[in-house]
């Protein structure tokens, strides 16, 4: 199971800004802190909202985002996307303050596990990214409700604020798929991952629709390993593979409360061979979409 960002696609544990190679024992649970720029932007949003006589729910209605999103932005826990900034600007007087403040926002690493942060930084610069997952829907493809359910089931339990920080980190990480349309993203996922129920039928349907939407762009390839395929070369567990701008291939694997970045050429080559072999055995993207649509019809 994807138990940690703690690993890449499970619940991210916030641990401040210490480098992941030197995090002292006990620092894994330290509360995450939003960046100064996010706090400042959030304070500006809140001040303009209150000046306009709006509640958070009222602003949420006008900007067509959830009340939780508005709250997370105001508390500095969430990086606002362009649509939020533009809609909030229009809803709060068109002063230009939000557009100007948004130019100075910086992404922090709150909500990411110490052992995942280095990989997350490499992801943002990678020229290609491959993911095999056998536990959960990959983090880059998760719907907000699915991600929230994953965080809600984490042990030890998290506070509401910590869960919002983790969710923010997940959604911010997903943004790179929209922001980098020329980067190839390849996913291979076990069929039973999509058959594992969470929430009600509506939540499951939302997840399927979200995955279909996220996998629709030409630079995204999503395949499934069908239930009847039997044993295969990647049974050792999930793996991610990326290529750096310099042409180097790196891998990342994860387990219970730990992650491992792999740079040894022989080991990377072996994992790439396993991934390529599984890709030839998995259903094609077209077959996968048909399967997912059938699953949606069964809900």
């Amino acid at each position: 199971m994807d138990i940690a960002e703690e690993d890449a696609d499970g619940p991210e544990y916030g641990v401040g800004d210490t480098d992941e190679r030197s995090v002292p024992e006990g620092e894994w649970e330290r509360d995450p802190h939003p960046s100064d720029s996010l706090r400042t932007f959030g304070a500006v949003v809140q001040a303009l909202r209150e000046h306009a006589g709006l509640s958070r729910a009222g602003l949420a209605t006008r900007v067509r985002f959830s009340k939780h999103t508005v709250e997370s932005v105001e508390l500095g826990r969430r990086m606002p996307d362009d649509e939020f900034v533009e809609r909030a600007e229009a809803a709060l007087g068109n002063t230009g303050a939000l557009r100007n403040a948004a130019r100075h926002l910086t992404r922090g690493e709150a909500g990411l596990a110490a052992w995942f942060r280095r990989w997350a930084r490499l992801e943002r610069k990678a020229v290609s990214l491959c993911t095999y997952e056998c536990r959960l829907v990959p983090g880059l493809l998760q719907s907000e409700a699915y991600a929230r359910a994953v965080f809600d089931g984490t042990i030890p339990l998290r506070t509401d604020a910590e869960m919002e920080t983790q969710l923010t980190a997940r959604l911010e990480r997903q943004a790179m798929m929209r922001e980098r349309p020329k980067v190839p993203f390849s996913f291979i996922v076990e069929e039973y991952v999509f058959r594992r129920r969470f929430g009600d039928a509506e939540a499951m349907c939302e997840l399927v629709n979200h995955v279909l939407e996220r996998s629709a762009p030409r630079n995204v390839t999503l395949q499934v390993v069908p239930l009847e395929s039997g044993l295969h070369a990647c049974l050792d567990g999930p793996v991610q593979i990326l290529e750096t701008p310099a042409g180097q291939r790196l891998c990342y694997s994860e387990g219970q409360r730990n992650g491992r970045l792999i740079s040894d050429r022989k080991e990377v080559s072996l994992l790439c061979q396993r991934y390529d072999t599984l890709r030839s055995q998995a259903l094609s993207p077209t077959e996968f979409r048909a399967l997912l649509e059938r699953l949606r019809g069964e809900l």
Side-chain angles (χ1 to χ4, degrees), residues 172-229:
E172 286 181 5
R173 182 168 163 248
Q174 290 181 353
M176 69 176 174
M177 290 185 66
R178 299 189 300 271
E179 296 167 353
R180 309 189 68 197
K182 295 183 179 180
V183 173
F185 291 87
S186 171
F187 299 91
I188 303 175
V189 185
E190 298 284 349
E191 179 182 341
Y192 58 76
V193 166
F194 294 105
R195 291 186 175 276
R196 176 174 290 147
R197 296 297 184 100
F198 85 100
D200 55 17
E202 183 178 353
M204 285 292 297
C205 188
E206 179 190 7
L207 170 65
V208 172
N209 290 336
H210 183 82
V211 171
L212 288 171
E213 178 185 350
R214 286 287 182 266
S215 60
R218 288 181 299 164
N219 65 314
V220 181
T221 302
L222 181 53
Q223 298 176 257
V224 68
V225 183
L227 293 174
E228 63 271 16
S229 65

Side-chain angles (χ1 to χ4, degrees), residues 242-255:
L242 63 73
E243 183 179 355
T244 70
Q248 181 184 13
R249 284 190 169 184
L250 300 170
C251 296
Y252 177 80
S253 66
E254 59 194 21

